Amino acid sequence: MDSAVEKLPILFLCILLYIIVLAIPSVRKNGLRSKLSPLIPIGAFLFFLLGFDGNKQTAVLWSHDLLPTQLSFTIDGLGRLFALLITGIGSLIFIYANGYMKGAKYTQRLQSFLLLFMLAMLGVVLSDDLIMLFIFWELTSVSSFFLIGFKNEDEASRKSALQAISITGLGGLVMLGGFIILGEIAGTYAISEMHNPETIATITSHAWFTPMLIFILLGAFTKSAQFPFHFWLPGAMKAPTPVSAYLHSATMVKAGVYLLARFSPILGDTPVWTIALISFGGVTMIYAAFQALFRTDMKSILAYTTVSALGIMVFLLGMQSSDAIAAVSLFILVHALYKAAFFMLAGTIDHETGTRDISKLSGLKTAMMPLFVIGILAAWSNGGVPPSVGFLGKDLIYESTLAYPGLNYLLTGVSVGTNIMLFAAGLLVGWMPFRGKKISHKNLQLPAPSLWVPAAVLAVLGMLFGLFPSLINDSLINPVANSISGQPEDIHLKLWHGLNTVLYLSLLTMGLGFLTYLVIRPGAGMLGFIESAERFGPRRILHGISHGFIGLSDWITKILQNGKLRIYLLVILGFLVLILGYVVLAETTFTIDIDMLTNITIYEVIIVGILFISVFLTLFSGSRLAAVAAMGVVGYTLCIIFVFYSAPDLAMTQFTIDTLTVILFVLVLYRLPRFIRLDFSPRHILDGLVAIAVGALMTIISLEVLQRMPEREISDYYALNAYVLAKGKNVVNVILVDFRGADTMIEIVVLSIAAIGVYSLLKLRLRKNEKME
Amino acid sequence: MNTIILKTASKYLLPLLLLFSIFVLLRGHYLPGGGFVGGLIAAIAFVLHAFANGLPHTQRLMRIHPGFLMPFGLAISAVSGMFPMLLNQPFMTGVWKKDPVPVIGSLGSALFFDIGVYLVVIGASLTILFTISETR
Amino acid sequence: MEILLAITIGLLYAAGIFLILRRSMVRLIIGLILLGNGANLLIFLLGRISKGKPPIIPEDSKVFLDAYADPIPQALILTAIVISFGLQAYAIILVKRAYRVVKTDDIEEMITTDEI
């Protein structure tokens, strides 16, 4: 038997292969590939049912010395129960989806995503390594994003999908932080290696224990939709019903519960854990149950009862007592059974009648007898009425709350209140649409077996396990409890405990629950009231943050990207002046060694004087021609400066280019508008200040550089070798055509491109709207 | 600008300036000058001629569109750069004829490279200027 | 003389920047040209200036016998001058074409690409 866990990769590969097979688009709707898809989860279910007995098995498949993390799987009672739920309910969901999606588009795509999701969930519950667990965890978020947003033409669907992935993905990232702290404290990333008492003591006494725990709890709470992160789950009801049935009964939302159960033996015995889980779970279960009571949409009711049930599980995991652990072990199974049945029921009714609004449905009993039976059985189990398995679960819940030291009255009260409301909510879904003589929808027929048999299987199992608890006691529930508590537990599920407080509480729950059901009339009024309560809280904060971000970026964009060249330039130049100016002022000595400089002659002063005058003419001339002419003069004076200071090549080039530029301007100029004459304004002062600052900075920098010794190593090399290597005596020209010939090559290419650019800009035919001159 | 003096002068100036530009090009390796300056002087020569006689006249005189000088010049430069590679030397290595040629001096690949530059500069600047004067 | 040239550089930069901050596109291009001139002069000055010593090897020698001006800045500036001609030509034509399409050379009216 010990090799079964090592066969897991083969199973994973098979699933992956079929995901790819399904992902290849098919011409036919509901082709053979989608009809055969239930075989995959069925096969996996049999593998987990027959291949394992609930004893712990761990297999390290791959590891590397340099990596702290490894590829390893572990399977124990807890993992096996989850694997069985994932694949077992998965099998039924796949059969159901084939019926539900008959004739619809993209059935294969849906099944492909569902299989991917199943693979990710199996990875979460079977991984032994923290990092691997995280990767699969995020994969469930990603694949559920595709599933929730499956109706991608619908904006609300896309929004809910995005909401779900933001919440769970964000929680997952926080959780990763927790995992890394945990892994570093424990010295190992393998969960199975953390169970020995010394490691647990190291972890729980570490200074970083509390932040680590909070990080991990945030991951679990977001995934399992605990208040105040619960709002993504009701939103996720936009998904097709098979998806909701799968994600919200047994898998996605239970991942958080799984995580808490998995870490319960390691982190559970601490005050933070207990306080956080009991308070968050308690608030979630009673708040969500209340919210469920006034909904009219069947899926909405189920969504809130799911949140409430998740709250119960978290609550129980917080208590840590033997009874609570037994209760949660059983409740995971119980909830999956009845909730999946409920969801499929709601989906089938929706599929047949076109509505899920319980206030518009009545009298369906006559046409859909089997569905009515399913509804009653599921409500039975949900309400905890004997002899269903739900009764066993609720018994254990009350036993554990009653035994909790100190707070037993409060906790019991909360549990009883929650269960009363859940009881009524179950009846709303399971009974209300069927009762009455008035038939709301005509011409209803019993739907195809694939639309109700899977739900019937689950509903009957719920009853069967209740009647014969021994079926699951030793094989399923006890190993789970062992995993959660970390030590052997001894559980004996039985229906009859005798006349005790628990039984009275159960009777009270049923009575008050039924009464509530009779009194409650879901309708628009109450709906508006409770939805207003939902509008506050974290959902609003989340929306506020995202809207705030959008507004902020909008504002920044408007400020910075305003399309005004002047502002862009001012920002860039201002920044340059500040940074460069600071450095220059801090480093400069402001001493000038006159001896190093060349002397001044009168000619040079005259030339520079002409240059100054021309620059001012260019700046302030109102005539375009004068400005261009003055600009030309600036170029010619530079040319003369080059002549003075031993640069004949430069002088020649500058002269010719300057001439050509002026010609160019003159050719174009009279086609261009006159200068805009603007009166002197404050912006001139600002621009002038910035301009003067940059100019002064450049002057200071050049003077400063002149005080330092020049580096002439490269120049000397070129000068020495100009004739020896390149047989040229004009070093500038030798550099251009020989030493740096490749650069010149590129330069003439650039020049050609500029010419071609000019040519195409002018010669290309104008478009129609440009011709309106 | 269509004065008789300029017209007459440009008739003689064009060949003179072109000759001068080639002179500047060839002596560039030893004295101030080279492909860039030479090319620009040649371009100015043509522009001057166009000013005096009108653009169509100059274009007729040139026979080909100046734009074609650009690929031609680029090709010469590229080939002269690649020529050393035939002799198993790196790209752009200077290769020289042993004996100096009268008037030009040493004949080498760098000179052909400079001629390529010369042609590209003429082609590019004339393309720009002619295009602009054509499109009014 | 270097001090004078350094001040000239500052003036060219300041004038160039003041012009590119104006609303008229023609002024923008003139500003660009002045900036280019300033940059060329800056490179030239930083290579140290000297009178009457062009980087040309004397007729009857194979190497420099005397001090000589630094050839590298000169080669750089020569390249820059030629390239800037291409840039200026392209910029001028762009202005011309833009004026033809949007009927304005006021940069502040050209803040969107969508309205053409």
Side-chain angles (χ1 to χ4, degrees):
Chain A
M1 284 296 269
D2 55 19
S3 63
V5 70
E6 283 165 8
K7 292 196 185 99
L8 269 176
I10 303 171
L11 176 75
F12 275 48
L13 281 180
C14 288
I15 300 175
L16 199 62
L17 202 70
Y18 206 75
I19 292 172
I20 297 167
V21 168
L22 280 173
I24 300 166
S26 159
V27 191
R28 292 175 55 211
K29 290 171 183 170
N30 296 73
L32 190 63
R33 275 180 279 168
S34 37
K35 287 216 175 72
L36 288 181
S37 63
L39 290 179
I40 298 293
I42 289 172
F45 177 72
L46 292 176
F47 174 75
F48 288 113
L49 187 69
L50 306 174
F52 303 93
D53 58 357
N55 289 324
K56 189 167 176 173
Q57 295 183 29
T58 305
V60 178
L61 299 166
W62 181 84
S63 66
H64 192 282
D65 294 341
L66 293 175
L67 289 174
T69 172
Q70 56 193 9
L71 191 63
S72 57
F73 288 110
T74 189
I75 186 160
D76 58 359
L78 182 66
R80 180 164 174 256
L81 174 69
F82 269 96
L84 285 174
L85 286 177
I86 291 162
T87 52
I89 293 185
S91 310
L92 297 172
I93 295 288
F94 270 88
I95 296 169
Y96 180 73
N98 262 336
Y100 187 85
M101 299 291 287
K102 194 165 211 157
K105 275 190 199 167
Y106 310 125
T107 309
Q108 262 185 224
R109 192 194 286 173
L110 182 80
Q111 287 168 331
S112 177
F113 285 143
L114 272 175
L115 263 189
L116 181 69
F117 177 78
M118 186 181 100
L119 181 78
M121 274 310 297
L122 283 177
V124 167
V125 299
L126 298 176
S127 294
D128 188 36
D129 187 86
L130 285 175
I131 303 299
M132 240 175 86
L133 172 58
F134 166 76
I135 292 171
F136 280 117
W137 180 278
E138 292 294 57
L139 188 60
T140 62
S141 291
V142 172
S143 50
S144 69
F145 168 75
F146 289 116
L147 287 169
I148 295 168
F150 189 75
K151 296 174 191 156
N152 52 16
E153 310 89 2
D154 177 23
E155 198 195 337
S157 258
R158 295 197 301 265
K159 233 177 190 168
S160 319
L162 203 61
Q163 200 174 54
I165 199 175
S166 329
I167 296 293
T168 58
L170 225 66
L173 282 179
V174 175
M175 188 186 79
L176 176 66
F179 277 1
I180 290 172
I181 301 174
L182 176 61
E184 293 303 315
I185 297 175
T188 173
Y189 280 81
I191 301 169
S192 55
E193 285 172 28
M194 295 175 189
H195 281 289
N196 63 68
E198 298 95 65
T199 318
I200 295 175
T202 319
I203 295 169
T204 48
S205 61
H206 197 274
W208 282 67
F209 173 76
T210 307
M212 179 269 285
L213 183 62
I214 289 172
F215 285 171
I216 292 181
L217 288 185
L218 273 173
F221 284 179
T222 49
K223 197 80 160 184
S224 277
Q226 293 302 293
F227 185 88
F229 308 109
H230 65 283
F231 55 90
W232 70 266
L233 198 152
M237 291 300 139
K238 297 281 186 296
T241 304
V243 174
S244 310
Y246 196 35
L247 261 60
H248 304 314
S249 63
T251 52
M252 169 89 165
V253 296
K254 294 269 179 70
V257 172
Y258 165 80
L259 193 81
L260 295 176
R262 173 59 74 211
F263 285 113
S264 163
I266 304 168
L267 312 172
D269 198 14
T270 52
V272 186
W273 172 282
T274 313
I275 293 166
L277 264 62
I278 290 183
S279 53
F280 277 91
V283 169
T284 306
M285 67 194 209
I286 193 143
Y287 173 77
F290 183 72
Q291 282 281 336
L293 220 45
F294 300 101
R295 306 269 153 182
T296 53
D297 180 9
M298 288 172 86
K299 276 177 86 173
S300 210
I301 299 171
L302 293 175
Y304 280 100
T305 55
T306 303
V307 175
S308 178
L310 293 166
I312 293 175
M313 290 177 213
V314 171
F315 175 78
L316 290 172
L317 282 166
M319 282 197 277
Q320 289 285 313
S321 66
S322 274
D323 278 337
I325 285 169
V328 76
S329 312
L330 184 61
F331 194 57
I332 291 169
L333 176 68
V334 172
H335 176 254
L337 293 178
Y338 77 72
K339 195 48 68 66
F342 265 149
F343 268 116
M344 287 194 251
L345 180 75
T348 306
I349 291 175
D350 185 20
H351 193 264
E352 297 302 311
T353 66
T355 181
R356 302 191 302 249
D357 191 335
I358 48 170
S359 59
K360 291 181 186 151
L361 289 164
S362 63
L364 299 182
K365 181 168 60 179
T366 43
M368 301 176 168
M369 199 52 175
L371 287 178
F372 175 58
V373 173
I374 293 165
I376 290 296
L377 287 179
W380 202 315
S381 189
N382 167 67
V385 182
S388 70
V389 72
F391 173 71
L392 301 177
K394 195 158 51 182
D395 259 14
L396 284 168
I397 295 172
Y398 290 160
E399 264 175 41
S400 52
T401 54
L402 281 174
Y404 196 80
L407 288 167
N408 50 356
Y409 287 117
L410 177 68
L411 297 187
T412 310
V414 170
S415 318
V416 171
T418 305
N419 274 313
I420 289 170
M421 290 189 276
L422 285 182
F423 184 96
L427 287 179
L428 286 178
V429 178
W431 194 4
M432 199 166 179
F434 299 98
R435 70 194 176 111
K437 295 227 165 55
K438 199 174 134 268
I439 299 166
S440 60
H441 290 75
K442 300 261 154 51
N443 301 328
L444 282 180
Q445 287 177 336
L446 187 65
S450 62
L451 280 171
W452 59 270
V453 170
V457 170
L458 293 173
V460 169
L461 275 180
M463 206 49 73
L464 202 65
F465 290 157
L467 284 170
F468 307 104
S470 58
L471 280 175
I472 48 171
N473 189 31
D474 294 338
S475 59
L476 277 178
I477 305 305
N478 213 348
V480 177
N482 295 345
S483 309
I484 299 177
S485 72
Q487 59 213 8
E489 294 282 334
D490 194 19
I491 293 175
H492 297 290
L493 298 174
K494 52 179 190 278
L495 271 175
W496 182 249
H497 290 268
L499 286 172
N500 53 14
T501 325
V502 173
L503 187 67
Y504 296 140
L505 282 174
S506 275
L507 289 174
L508 182 74
T509 308
M510 286 177 236
L512 284 178
F514 194 71
L515 207 64
T516 313
Y517 165 71
L518 291 179
V519 172
I520 285 289
R521 277 297 152 263
M526 273 315 273
L527 198 63
F529 170 68
I530 50 169
E531 276 187 341
S532 67
E534 281 285 85
R535 244 173 260 136
F536 298 98
R539 179 184 191 157
R540 197 187 175 87
I541 295 169
L542 189 85
H543 279 235
I545 289 174
S546 53
H547 281 287
F549 260 116
I550 293 169
L552 184 72
S553 19
D554 202 39
W555 180 73
I556 288 176
T557 311
K558 269 182 191 144
I559 297 279
L560 291 179
Q561 306 289 325
N562 51 13
K564 290 183 177 167
L565 183 65
R566 177 172 168 266
I567 308 294
Y568 296 167
L569 288 171
L570 277 180
V571 170
I572 294 169
L573 293 169
F575 189 74
L576 177 88
V577 167
L578 287 181
I579 294 292
L580 208 58
Y582 172 75
V583 175
V584 166
L585 290 181
E587 304 273 321
T588 312
T589 50
F590 290 108
T591 52
I592 296 171
D593 185 3
I594 302 291
D595 297 338
M596 284 177 69
L597 306 179
T598 48
N599 54 339
I600 299 179
T601 64
I602 185 72
Y603 310 111
E604 292 159 354
V605 175
I606 293 172
I607 290 297
V608 174
I610 296 173
L611 191 147
F612 273 42
I613 295 167
S614 326
V615 168
F616 281 108
L617 266 178
T618 317
L619 276 179
F620 300 114
S621 166
S623 142
R624 297 162 302 167
L625 200 60
V628 169
M631 181 203 76
V633 174
V634 171
Y636 290 132
T637 52
L638 277 183
C639 169
I640 295 171
I641 291 173
F642 288 144
V643 172
F644 281 153
Y645 292 100
S646 336
D649 286 289
L650 283 190
M652 290 162 81
T653 317
Q654 175 77 36
F655 180 80
T656 44
I657 286 287
D658 207 47
T659 312
L660 285 175
T661 308
V662 173
I663 292 175
L664 195 66
F665 257 105
V666 172
L667 281 175
V668 179
L669 208 59
Y670 68 96
R671 306 287 308 170
L672 290 177
R674 296 179 184 286
F675 283 160
I676 310 163
R677 291 298 295 174
L678 288 169
D679 292 331
F680 188 77
S681 68
R683 50 188 282 169
H684 283 83
I685 299 175
L686 178 63
D687 295 355
L689 282 177
V690 171
I692 289 168
V694 176
L697 208 57
M698 297 318 290
T699 302
I700 294 170
I701 289 174
S702 36
L703 285 175
E704 179 64 20
V705 173
L706 283 173
Q707 298 307 308
R708 315 202 170 171
M709 282 308 288
E711 291 279 343
R712 292 196 59 163
E713 198 182 331
I714 304 169
S715 307
D716 288 337
Y717 170 83
Y718 284 156
L720 266 177
N721 292 297
Y723 193 75
V724 181
L725 288 178
K727 298 197 194 259
K729 291 194 167 175
N730 179 358
V731 184
V732 176
N733 186 266
V734 168
I735 290 174
L736 284 177
V737 300
D738 202 311
F739 290 131
R740 307 296 307 169
D743 294 348
T744 312
M745 185 78 213
I746 305 296
E747 193 203 341
I748 55 179
V749 171
V750 172
L751 196 64
S752 310
I753 291 170
I756 294 167
V758 168
Y759 185 80
S760 40
L761 260 184
L762 286 179
K763 290 280 177 164
L764 280 186
R765 216 176 273 165
L766 294 175
R767 268 185 274 122
K768 254 184 200 160
N769 55 352
E770 295 176 14
K771 273 188 180 161
M772 299 181 297
E773 278 190 72
Chain B
M1 285 196 211
N2 287 332
T3 59
I4 303 237
I5 300 172
L6 191 60
K7 246 183 187 169
T8 318
S10 73
K11 210 179 277 176
Y12 300 100
L13 266 178
L14 177 64
L16 270 177
L17 278 175
L18 282 181
L19 211 59
F20 178 65
S21 76
I22 291 169
F23 165 72
V24 169
L25 160 72
L26 290 182
R27 73 171 208 154
H29 225 52
Y30 297 94
L31 294 162
F36 281 113
V37 188
L40 290 168
I41 293 174
I44 289 178
F46 282 111
V47 171
L48 204 61
H49 190 263
F51 269 174
N53 301 294
L55 189 58
H57 194 260
T58 317
Q59 277 172 326
R60 262 202 308 282
L61 197 74
M62 285 189 77
R63 286 163 202 277
I64 55 159
H65 191 281
F68 289 109
L69 290 175
M70 294 190 295
F72 192 57
L74 282 174
I76 291 180
S77 295
V79 167
S80 77
M82 279 184 276
F83 178 69
M85 291 165 84
L86 291 178
L87 307 173
N88 271 336
Q89 282 173 304
F91 183 62
M92 289 278 174
T93 315
V95 184
W96 300 91
K97 192 169 173 292
K98 283 225 175 83
D99 309 310
V101 178
V103 184
I104 303 173
S106 308
L107 186 65
S109 59
L111 182 67
F112 288 99
F113 185 82
D114 223 6
I115 292 172
V117 173
Y118 174 79
L119 292 176
V120 172
V121 170
I122 299 179
S125 40
L126 283 187
T127 305
I128 293 169
L129 288 163
F130 283 7
T131 313
I132 290 169
S133 14
E134 269 174 334
T135 343
R136 292 272 150 123
Chain C
M1 186 60 197
E2 277 88 344
I3 300 171
L4 206 55
L5 286 184
I7 294 169
T8 312
I9 291 167
L11 180 72
L12 286 171
Y13 265 93
I17 283 167
F18 187 75
L19 284 173
I20 62 171
L21 290 174
R22 302 272 61 77
R23 284 167 66 172
S24 155
M25 286 193 71
V26 181
R27 282 203 165 114
L28 175 85
I29 292 168
I30 295 176
L32 277 179
I33 294 173
L34 288 186
L35 267 182
N37 282 336
N40 285 344
L41 197 58
L42 179 70
I43 297 171
F44 189 63
L45 182 66
L46 297 191
R48 301 301 183 279
I49 52 172
S50 51
K51 278 184 192 165
K53 292 163 190 157
I56 292 169
I57 302 172
E59 186 108 14
D60 46 1
S61 165
K62 288 188 176 178
V63 287
F64 284 101
L65 304 171
D66 203 357
Y68 57 94
D70 194 340
I72 290 181
Q74 297 196 15
L76 283 177
I77 297 167
L78 204 150
T79 316
I81 294 173
V82 178
I83 283 288
S84 68
F85 175 67
L87 172 79
Q88 287 153 19
Y90 192 78
I92 292 170
I93 301 312
L94 211 54
V95 171
K96 187 183 170 181
R97 174 87 185 219
Y99 176 60
R100 219 166 162 181
V101 177
V102 298
K103 308 281 183 296
T104 179
D105 83 326
D106 186 347
I107 294 166
E108 307 220 329
E109 285 176 29
M110 298 185 188
I111 50 173
T112 163
T113 50
D114 304 332
E115 288 170 8
I116 295 173

